[in-house]
Amino acid sequence: MDYMKDIKEIKLAFLGSGFMAQAMIRGIINAGTLPAEHVYAVNPVDPDTCVMLSEKYGIVAAMPEMLADADVIFFAIKPQTFPEACEMYAEHFTSDKVYLTIMAGVSCASVETATGGARVVRFMPNLALSVGKSATGFCLGRNSGEEEAALARALFGPLGEARELPEDMLSSVTALSGSGPAYFYYLCEALTAAAVGDGMDEETAQSLAVQTLIGTAALIEESGESPTEMRRRITSKKGTTEAGICALEAAGFFDCVREGYLAARRRSDELGKK
């Protein structure tokens, strides 16, 4: 199948209906990538969330036996639950389907083994895909090729930026853009707390911090210049921004961010080994 041309013809089933599945479904439906009736959500452990998604987006709240009708099955579950899911759905897995996965640390080879050597594409998106702004890395399994790469781009291209990488870089993507949104939220928390500690009311402090993040991201995207160059441009000699940057440097800001990145990467590797 030419997925870029015939994407609207496929039937896509999500195993799981948590935050990431909900974000992907919202993004796919809002972008018009697939008709709602071609999107299934399967979660016999928590069927109420599937019903909620059906009512909200018009998708199908499906039972496991409906997986037989799907062309593509998406593992949108936590990596720790992968073995349990394999047992639960084994009778519905056939090697003629394409299997997608967002399970951190779970290799393409593991999914291939569980699905009888099927074609596999592994993704690491972030929650911003629900608003069409995700930073997604993906890699192909050993039995996947250009058609599956086209499927990946057809699904995730409208949801932000999607880049193909070697699989050994997926843990790095996890640490960078997968966990990255939490780092920016944390920065907003810290800026808000600092302003509140200085006497500002919390609602105003949070609003200003969030809008600063939004505006800064928009400026970076629009300018096409590096963050380093843009930071230098607004850091006047002996000005307030330089004073703040110097204080962050003295406190080990770069080291703290690097340690957070490395910790997330190590955890991704650990999940894969388990």
Side-chain angles (χ1 to χ4, degrees):
M1 177 182 289
D2 184 343
Y3 290 111
M4 292 299 288
K5 180 180 178 182
D6 303 321
I7 184 66
K8 291 185 183 296
E9 296 182 10
I10 72 166
K11 293 180 180 178
L12 172 63
F14 284 88
L15 298 185
S17 52
F19 288 129
M20 286 303 296
Q22 292 176 34
M24 284 186 284
I25 289 169
R26 175 185 172 186
I28 287 169
I29 298 303
N30 286 348
T33 305
L34 294 176
E37 62 270 20
H38 284 195
V39 180
Y40 305 161
V42 181
N43 189 343
V45 177
D46 187 8
D48 288 347
T49 57
C50 296
V51 173
M52 177 272 291
L53 288 167
S54 177
E55 293 173 346
K56 192 169 185 178
Y57 301 112
I59 68 163
V60 180
M63 298 302 292
E65 52 266 27
M66 291 188 69
L67 292 174
D69 192 40
D71 303 297
V72 180
I73 294 178
F74 208 132
F75 285 95
I77 58 178
K78 295 178 181 178
Q80 300 93 320
T81 64
F82 178 55
E84 179 185 351
C86 288
E87 292 182 11
M88 182 181 298
Y89 301 115
E91 63 180 294
H92 306 294
F93 292 160
T94 55
S95 60
D96 60 325
K97 301 182 187 298
V98 179
Y99 294 82
L100 313 179
T101 169
I102 58 166
M103 297 180 291
V106 179
S107 68
C108 288
S110 295
V111 180
E112 288 163 355
T113 299
T115 57
R119 293 161 290 165
V120 174
V121 185
R122 182 179 162 198
F123 297 87
M124 179 44 60
N126 60 37
L127 280 171
L129 50 80
S130 67
V131 292
K133 294 290 185 180
S134 179
T136 301
F138 72 91
C139 66
L140 303 178
R142 61 184 175 181
N143 298 321
S144 296
E146 285 304 312
E147 286 191 4
E148 289 69 40
L151 172 62
R153 295 188 182 95
L155 286 175
F156 280 87
L159 307 182
E161 182 170 355
R163 296 208 174 196
E164 183 178 354
L165 296 161
E167 185 165 21
D168 62 7
M169 292 303 296
L170 260 271
S171 288
S172 297
V173 174
T174 300
L176 176 61
S177 55
S179 298
Y183 311 153
F184 289 103
Y185 296 148
Y186 205 26
L187 177 59
C188 280
E189 282 184 64
L191 283 170
T192 300
V196 169
D198 198 34
M200 189 179 294
D201 69 275
E202 185 172 3
E203 190 279 329
T204 298
Q206 179 173 293
S207 178
L208 291 175
V210 170
Q211 186 57 43
T212 299
L213 176 62
I214 293 170
T216 302
L219 282 170
I220 292 174
E221 184 177 44
E222 182 179 293
S223 73
E225 296 183 10
S226 71
T228 300
E229 178 56 36
M230 296 194 72
R231 175 183 59 78
R232 287 173 176 165
R233 185 177 299 170
I234 66 168
T235 306
S236 304
K237 286 289 185 182
K238 298 184 179 180
T240 59
T241 304
E242 183 182 64
I245 291 291
C246 287
L248 289 173
E249 288 178 345
F253 182 75
F254 257 62
D255 290 338
C256 287
V257 173
R258 183 174 61 252
E259 286 304 311
Y261 169 94
L262 293 174
R265 194 188 194 290
R266 286 193 297 270
R267 182 56 179 157
S268 177
D269 291 337
E270 289 169 2
L271 290 172
K273 291 175 184 178
K274 290 180 181 179

